[in-house]
Amino acid sequence: MKKIFTLILFTILLVSCNGSSDKYVLRSSVGKVNKVMVVTQSSDWNGDIGKEIRNSFGELMVGLPQPESTLSVSQVAPNGFNTMMKVSRNIMIIGVSDKEEFYIKNDIYASPQTIVYVYAKDDAGVVALFKKHEKEIIKTFLESDIRYTQNLFSKSKLDETQFKTIQNLGISLTINDKFNYVDDTGNFLWLRQHLSSGIAKTGSNNILIYSVPLEDGIQVSDSIVAIRNKIGKEHIPGSDAETMYMITEEAYTPFTFDAEIDGKIAYETRGKWEVKNDFMAGPFINYTVVDEKNKRLIVFEGFTYAPSVNKRAFIFELEAIAKSMKIK
């Protein structure tokens, strides 16, 4: 009887590992968004290699009221890179080897997982190779986290068919179901997520969606602030609707970058908002998409109100939602 039980157990394990596709099922990865585990010798981490990594990943994110780095990093030595560590979602393995190599692999020890490899023959070579590819490396980790966040939200997706504005604009978005309706005119949508953790439990993440006509000869990137100020005055009131409304912070010039949403030309603007004649303020991220076919600009804006706490994670979630936009 014992032999029969052992045989059955072995058969079950064999089938579960191989299955019909003969592929091993990877473990689920773990790790916070915007965080990278760096696998390198402690001497390298404390030397020029580590300094270059910290300077690069530690570049401050644009538009936040408090200084916050683009990526957070932790370090583990190669001999400490054990089974538990190998399930981290974002990993960079860097150090001295017998040849120079730079490459990226996905889903090696867990899924989803992104691993960047940087090797050179000496410390100076490692630093040079990392600097050569640093923008690509940062972009790779950020895009990986965008996909990860979008996948999480797709599992608890808000039913967007209930919103007149989304239907009228002919778009779709992957918005998590923690957002609630504030206003939906058919031309303007405002959704709000109440933040429930830490000091930010009195705060909120907000989404605005609307469109404006694409006027001939207009310089889109130069009109973004004026458009959002007009929308703020019309739709985002303060405690006194007559004298208080959301505007772009006057003391801080937003940064605008070229972007792409659903294959269309777009502009990404990061900056700070404030309520005119009041003390409320925070960061915003705005994507203005050029829809030439329909002669319009589609605007997605996310803004955060979370006093006294870091806001990188909140803005990153809004960015992930914006980049899920599909225009029908």
Side-chain angles (χ1 to χ4, degrees), residues 151-222:
N151 184 56
L152 281 182
F153 290 169
S154 70
K155 296 175 182 178
S156 56
K157 187 175 183 292
L158 188 67
D159 178 15
E160 59 190 21
T161 62
Q162 64 186 296
F163 302 119
K164 296 180 293 184
T165 299
I166 287 180
Q167 298 307 305
N168 291 345
L169 292 180
I171 63 175
S172 65
L173 290 150
T174 301
I175 305 172
N176 73 69
D177 60 9
K178 294 180 181 179
F179 281 88
N180 299 300
Y181 154 90
V182 178
D183 191 14
D184 182 15
T185 68
N187 297 307
F188 170 86
L189 175 64
W190 180 2
L191 301 174
R192 175 184 290 150
Q193 172 193 1
H194 290 285
L195 303 175
S196 57
S197 60
I199 302 174
K201 57 188 175 184
T202 60
S204 64
N205 246 9
N206 298 265
I207 291 173
L208 310 178
I209 300 169
Y210 56 92
S211 73
V212 295
L214 176 59
E215 300 175 8
D216 292 337
I218 188 174
Q219 187 67 34
V220 175
S221 59
D222 292 339

Side-chain angles (χ1 to χ4, degrees), residues 156-302:
S156 56
K157 187 175 183 292
L158 188 67
D159 178 15
E160 59 190 21
T161 62
Q162 64 186 296
F163 302 119
K164 296 180 293 184
T165 299
I166 287 180
Q167 298 307 305
N168 291 345
L169 292 180
I171 63 175
S172 65
L173 290 150
T174 301
I175 305 172
N176 73 69
D177 60 9
K178 294 180 181 179
F179 281 88
N180 299 300
Y181 154 90
V182 178
D183 191 14
D184 182 15
T185 68
N187 297 307
F188 170 86
L189 175 64
W190 180 2
L191 301 174
R192 175 184 290 150
Q193 172 193 1
H194 290 285
L195 303 175
S196 57
S197 60
I199 302 174
K201 57 188 175 184
T202 60
S204 64
N205 246 9
N206 298 265
I207 291 173
L208 310 178
I209 300 169
Y210 56 92
S211 73
V212 295
L214 176 59
E215 300 175 8
D216 292 337
I218 188 174
Q219 187 67 34
V220 175
S221 59
D222 292 339
S223 66
I224 292 170
V225 170
I227 291 171
R228 72 175 309 277
N229 285 346
K230 181 175 182 292
I231 293 295
K233 186 173 184 178
E234 293 175 355
H235 295 283
I236 317 295
S239 55
D240 180 353
E242 294 297 321
T243 62
M244 299 178 181
Y245 48 87
M246 188 174 74
I247 61 173
T248 307
E249 185 176 298
E250 295 177 337
Y252 183 93
T253 302
F255 290 82
T256 298
F257 312 90
D258 292 339
E260 182 180 297
I261 299 289
D262 194 26
K264 292 179 171 56
I265 293 172
Y267 297 92
E268 174 188 302
T269 302
R270 293 175 182 263
K272 300 175 187 175
W273 61 271
E274 64 182 354
V275 174
K276 189 176 181 66
N277 299 319
D278 201 355
F279 296 102
M280 294 180 67
F284 74 83
I285 185 168
N286 176 298
Y287 286 91
T288 299
V289 186
V290 181
D291 183 10
E292 290 275 6
K293 178 182 176 182
N294 296 299
K295 296 296 180 184
R296 62 181 180 170
L297 301 174
I298 299 176
V299 181
F300 175 103
E301 178 162 319

Side-chain angles (χ1 to χ4, degrees), residues 38 44-61 68-73 92 127 130-131 134-135 138:
V38 179
D44 290 337
W45 183 249
N46 294 322
D48 292 341
I49 294 173
K51 180 180 178 181
E52 192 61 43
I53 293 169
R54 291 188 295 274
N55 286 343
S56 179
F57 290 0
E59 184 175 344
L60 298 184
M61 183 174 284
E68 295 184 64
S69 61
T70 301
L71 291 168
S72 300
V73 292
M92 182 168 70
V127 170
F130 174 78
K131 290 179 70 173
E134 65 177 332
K135 289 184 179 179
I138 292 172

